[in-house]
Amino acid sequence: MKIVTHSPQETVKAAEKLGSLLKAGDMIAYKGGLGAGKTTFTRGLAIGMGLGDSVTSPTFALVNEYRGKSMTLYHFDMYRISSEEDLESTGFYDYPFEDNVAAVEWSENIAEFLPKDTIYITINSIGENDREIIIEDGGRFAAAWD
Ligand code: ADP
Ligand code: MG
């Protein structure tokens, strides 16, 4: 599935739609460089999940948590993670992912530790305010998107 957006607001809207479709156990892994729009997209996911619009970059915290009634969104930034040891030190393996949703920036750094059914989202900057967003979801959301 490929979407093109022309403003941060459009990216938030697209992400909101995806957020409303997510289920416990979903893992979102972003690919895309600095300023692509990963944190912006995550803000939309949180809104779509009913968790409010307060998402900010977890760069220094490594993970931010947005708690809902039934699910928490774990928003990771793996920019500084370069080994399995680093990853373990974040406590990554101890999170209850099966009951919640996770969104991981710089997922390239932990590629081999992501589950098989991870939803990959690639964000490419194709202009100052234009972004190409590719969602690899194994066809799961195609019907909802038309
Ligand atoms: P990342 O988390 O990938 O580093 P951010 O979401 O923090 O990226 O920042 C994206 C930047 O790009 C923001 O300053 C945002 O305003 C800007 N931007 C411009 N156009 C778009 C768009 N279409 N979608 C998302 N962000 C956009
Ligand atoms: Mg970010």
Side-chain angles (χ1 to χ4, degrees):
M1 205 152 64
K2 190 168 101 178
I3 304 160
V4 173
T5 68
H6 308 286
S7 68
Q9 292 77 12
E10 265 187 53
T11 294
V12 168
K13 280 286 163 211
E16 252 184 82
K17 190 163 169 178
L18 179 62
S20 72
L21 300 169
L22 294 175
K23 302 262 186 304
D26 284 338
M27 170 77 72
I28 306 271
Y30 295 108
K31 299 186 231 175
L34 191 68
K38 304 178 292 295
T39 297
T40 302
F41 195 94
T42 307
R43 183 167 309 127
L45 287 183
I47 296 169
M49 290 174 68
L51 306 177
D53 63 356
S54 63
V55 167
T56 55
S57 174
T59 297
F60 299 105
L62 281 171
V63 60
N64 286 339
E65 301 187 14
Y66 302 95
R67 274 166 226 239
K69 281 197 203 80
S70 60
M71 284 193 289
T72 291
L73 171 64
Y74 297 111
H75 181 200
F76 289 91
D77 187 322
M78 298 303 188
Y79 185 72
R80 289 179 177 73
I81 303 301
S82 58
S83 68
E84 187 165 8
E85 228 170 38
D86 283 353
L87 184 59
E88 200 163 2
S89 75
T90 69
F92 186 76
Y93 298 112
D94 303 323
Y95 284 86
F97 291 126
E98 57 289 348
D99 301 320
N100 296 288
V101 170
V104 181
E105 300 197 26
W106 301 99
S107 73
E108 296 91 336
N109 289 350
I110 64 159
E112 59 265 52
F113 308 110
L114 292 168
K116 252 210 323 275
D117 56 355
T118 295
I119 299 164
Y120 288 94
I121 299 185
T122 303
I123 309 181
N124 296 315
S125 182
I126 55 172
E128 192 182 343
N129 295 307
D130 308 314
R131 302 290 187 273
E132 175 189 71
I133 303 170
I134 298 156
I135 303 178
E136 295 172 72
D137 63 357
R140 211 175 117 191
F141 303 120
W145 224 269
D146 298 330

